[in-house]
Amino acid sequence: MQNTVLRNIIARKTIEPPGQYISLFDNTRLSEENMIGNLLKFDVSAPIDLQEMTNPQVVDYLVLTHHEFTRDIMLEIDRLLENGRVSEPEAQKVLAELGMLWPAFHREMLEHLEHEEQILFPSIESSTNEQGEISADNIDSTILSMIKEHDHHDDELHRIRILNARLLAQSGSNPVIHQLCQRIGQLDSDLHQHMQIESEILFPRILKSFT
C-alpha cells in the first residue's frame, strides 16, 4: 500500500516500469523496492519536499522518477517517428526535420543519463557523510560539466519543442502524430523538472560545500 501511495505522490508517468535500476552505491543492481524503501523514510501522506531529502535520497528520487521514464518514453517516440505518416506537404517537412534531429538528441540524452548514473551520482552517494557534507575530488568540475550538458540539451529541446508545436498544428486529426506530439510534450516537461531539481537543489548544495 505504501509503495502505491508513494508512486502516486512522486507522479511517475510510467509506460512500462522496469523492475530494477542501477545501484548508485556499489554498481550492482538495486531493486525498485529498495529504492522506494529509502524514500519511504518520509511521511507518504504529505507531498514530498525535495529540500528535506539528503543528497543520496534526491539522487534515488531522480533515478526512480525521471531517468527510467526518460528512457522508456524516448523509445516510444522512436517507434512513433518510425510509424508516423502525414499527407500535408508542410507537415511532411516538419516531420522529416524532426526525424533528422531526434536520433542525435536521443543518443546524447542516453549518454547524459549514463554519465550521471556511472560518474556523478556514485560520487555524490559515496562522498556524502551523515551530516550531508561532501568530500570528493573533482566532483565540482564534474557538476560544472553536467551544467554545460544541461545547457546544450535545453537548446536542443527548444528546437524540438518548436518543431513539435508546428507538427501538431499542421497534422490535422492524425492519431499517430497526435500521440507523438503528446509524448514529446511529456518528455519535454519531465526533462525540465529533472534539470530543475539538479540545477536548483542538488548541484547548488554540493558546489556550496566547496566555497
Side-chain angles (χ1 to χ4, degrees):
M1 177 62 179
Q2 278 187 318
N3 288 357
T4 301
V5 172
L6 182 63
R7 288 192 185 96
N8 290 337
I9 290 175
I10 63 180
R12 187 176 193 278
K13 299 163 286 299
T14 307
I15 297 174
E16 185 63 38
Q20 293 182 317
Y21 301 85
I22 295 291
S23 168
L24 305 176
F25 293 94
D26 55 10
N27 291 326
T28 60
R29 302 303 295 184
L30 179 67
S31 71
E32 179 180 354
E33 298 304 313
N34 287 341
M35 294 186 81
I36 290 176
N38 189 30
L39 294 174
L40 279 173
K41 296 173 183 177
F42 290 86
D43 179 5
V44 297
S45 65
I48 288 179
D49 185 354
L50 294 173
Q51 296 285 5
E52 295 297 319
M53 289 185 177
T54 64
N55 292 334
Q57 286 168 332
V58 173
V59 164
D60 283 349
Y61 178 90
L62 284 168
V63 176
L64 185 63
T65 63
H66 292 282
H67 279 210
E68 293 304 323
F69 171 76
T70 297
R71 289 186 173 99
D72 291 343
I73 203 168
M74 288 197 300
L75 286 175
E76 186 172 3
I77 291 171
D78 281 349
R79 179 182 61 80
L80 291 168
L81 277 170
E82 183 178 347
N83 296 328
R85 301 289 185 274
V86 289
S87 57
E88 298 83 355
E90 287 303 314
Q92 289 176 351
K93 293 179 182 178
V94 176
L95 184 59
E97 188 174 352
L98 184 59
M100 292 179 63
L101 182 63
W102 175 257
F105 177 82
H106 188 172
R107 182 180 65 255
E108 290 174 2
M109 184 53 60
L110 288 177
E111 290 173 354
H112 179 78
L113 297 179
E114 290 293 325
H115 289 165
E116 289 190 339
E117 292 174 0
Q118 295 181 10
I119 300 173
L120 175 63
F121 289 172
S123 295
I124 294 172
E125 297 272 10
S126 63
S127 62
T128 303
N129 61 26
E130 293 182 358
Q131 289 73 41
E133 297 169 337
I134 295 286
S135 59
D137 294 334
N138 301 323
I139 195 171
D140 53 340
S141 61
T142 302
I143 288 175
L144 293 175
S145 175
M146 289 295 173
I147 291 173
K148 290 181 180 179
E149 287 189 22
H150 282 185
D151 291 340
H152 171 71
H153 295 318
D154 197 46
D155 290 342
E156 293 299 299
L157 266 176
H158 180 69
R159 295 174 62 192
I160 291 173
R161 190 180 303 122
I162 291 173
L163 291 173
N164 195 47
R166 288 173 56 193
L167 182 61
L168 183 61
Q170 297 169 1
S171 61
S173 58
N174 188 312
V176 175
I177 298 300
H178 277 220
Q179 187 177 17
L180 169 64
C181 293
Q182 181 185 46
R183 291 293 185 259
I184 291 175
Q186 287 178 310
L187 175 65
D188 184 12
S189 176
D190 193 78
L191 287 176
H192 176 75
Q193 293 174 27
H194 174 178
M195 290 188 284
Q196 189 174 32
I197 290 169
E198 291 180 343
S199 299
E200 297 183 8
I201 298 176
L202 187 61
F203 293 171
R205 282 185 190 174
I206 297 168
L207 292 175
K208 184 179 179 180
S209 68
F210 289 92
T211 59

